[in-house]
Every structure is written in C-alpha cells, then in structure tokens.
Amino acid sequence: MSDWLYSETVKDHFTNPKNVLLESEETFAADARGMTGNIKCGDQMLMLLKIKDDVITDVRWKTYGCASAIASTSMLSQLIIGMKIEDAYNIKPEDLVKELGGLPSYKIHCSVLGDKALRAAIDDYLAKTGRAGMLKEDATVICHCLGITDKDIENAFHNGSRSWEQLQQATKIGTVCGGCKEKTLELLHALEHIHS
C-alpha cells in the first residue's frame, strides 16, 4: 500500500478495528441499538451499547462502509467506553477526525456515520428508560434517507461546502433518493445570506 493517504492511526483502526460486532446481536445483549445510513448508497452503521447508570460500559458496531467509516467508528468505540451518555451524545465528526490525525477532505462525510448511529442508540436507550427526547439535538432532519440534519448542512457550510455538489461530497446528502435537494438548496441560500 505505497499510496496510502491516511495517518498511521487511521491505518491501525482500519486494519485492526476495535469493538467490531463479531457475535450476534442477541449474544452481545445490548441495552441500546442505533442504526443509520442506507445500504443503497453503500454506507450503513449499526451501533450497540451496554449502559449502566448512564455510563457506556461496552460497545459493538458493524458497518458497510469505507476505510474512513471503519476507522472513525473504531476510534469512536474506544473513546466512548466509560463516558457518560450526555458527553457521548455530543461527540462530533470533527472530534473523531482530530483523534485520527486527519482524513482527506473528500472522506470527512464517512466519519458522520458513527456519531449518528451513536446518537440513535442513546435515543433508543433513553426511550427504553422513559426519558425519550432528553438529549435531543436541536436539529431538523432534511435528508430522511440518511438522517442528515440542518445542523449537518450548516457544519458542512462552515467547513467550506458552498454548492450542492460540495454538500454531497461532505455529507452524502441526496445520494439515495434526492428528494431533499430543494430544502437543502433553500437552507444553503439562507446560510449564504446570513454569513455573507
């Protein structure tokens, strides 16, 4: 692999991923389950958590994704063990990219799968414990196929995505059914006016 474009940390987490689900879901006996992504576009993530007293004690995950998605989720799985669910809920893709020593800009969107699946799992846990909505991110889902929110689009905008094509590269928005394009372009137009 002489043309490897990633850091040694990414390489390690890709070639030796941590906390991957090797057993069945039933055998792991998770307290929480989160799924995000869409297999149609090639990226899907399952996140399973064991939680005691609102602290993540163990995690397993499985993905259909690229090296960046695998490495990002492997890193995420290590970071969250021992973490309070409130703190884990607020982990962002850029936190993972930093821990990994960077990712190529066209691969940043791959790092969003893990944190979205993590939030979905924590939401599942909160619903099961009678606290649904306790940690809801103040965001509106724009792309229902991939669970991409207005906050994801705004974050991509602040990181330099100024066109539909750049937003797709940064977030994968609109790569499944495309039904979100109009709302996305309206939001992009509003962001340009607010931040110009």
Side-chain angles (χ1 to χ4, degrees):
M1 284 195 199
S2 59
D3 294 334
W4 185 257
L5 301 173
Y6 302 98
S7 70
E8 286 302 311
T9 305
V10 172
K11 185 176 183 179
D12 177 52
H13 279 277
F14 172 61
T15 57
N16 303 296
K18 317 308 185 247
N19 304 307
V20 175
L21 179 67
L22 299 175
E23 64 268 48
S24 70
E25 281 189 55
E26 294 75 23
T27 302
F28 183 65
D31 299 304
R33 182 183 196 275
M35 177 82 81
T36 193
N38 192 307
I39 200 67
K40 290 179 186 173
C41 72
D43 291 323
Q44 190 172 56
M45 179 76 61
L46 168 68
M47 180 80 62
L48 302 171
L49 305 175
K50 287 187 180 182
I51 302 171
K52 182 174 172 73
D53 299 324
D54 285 353
V55 174
I56 298 168
T57 60
D58 205 357
V59 58
R60 293 290 181 276
W61 59 274
K62 186 181 281 190
T63 190
Y64 297 100
C66 66
S68 298
I70 291 167
S72 297
T73 310
S74 176
M75 174 62 78
L76 176 64
S77 74
Q78 286 194 300
L79 290 175
I80 63 174
I81 293 175
M83 191 176 278
K84 292 182 178 180
I85 59 172
E86 294 89 349
D87 296 330
Y89 201 87
N90 291 310
I91 291 176
K92 302 289 181 217
E94 48 269 25
D95 299 329
L96 298 175
V97 171
K98 183 178 176 185
E99 290 288 333
L100 289 168
L103 287 173
S105 59
Y106 61 91
K107 285 295 187 179
I108 299 292
H109 70 270
C110 300
S111 66
V112 306
L113 281 178
D115 74 297
K116 285 187 172 301
L118 172 61
R119 280 197 291 278
I122 293 171
D123 287 339
D124 177 58
Y125 173 74
L126 291 171
K128 287 176 179 176
T129 57
R131 298 177 287 165
M134 184 180 106
L135 296 176
K136 278 287 184 203
E137 190 178 31
D138 186 24
T140 303
V141 175
I142 303 294
C143 174
H144 291 277
C145 295
L146 296 174
I148 297 167
T149 68
D150 57 342
K151 299 291 184 195
D152 297 322
I153 294 167
E154 187 172 355
N155 188 44
F157 178 86
H158 289 304
N159 287 323
S161 298
R162 298 293 195 267
S163 68
W164 171 250
E165 291 76 19
Q166 289 171 333
L167 284 173
Q168 282 189 305
Q169 188 176 25
T171 67
K172 285 205 158 195
I173 195 161
T175 56
V176 179
C177 79
C180 56
K181 185 173 183 177
E182 186 177 336
K183 279 187 180 179
T184 304
L185 292 176
E186 287 172 9
L187 179 57
L188 182 60
H189 183 69
L191 290 168
E192 287 169 346
H193 281 285
I194 292 167
H195 299 288
S196 60

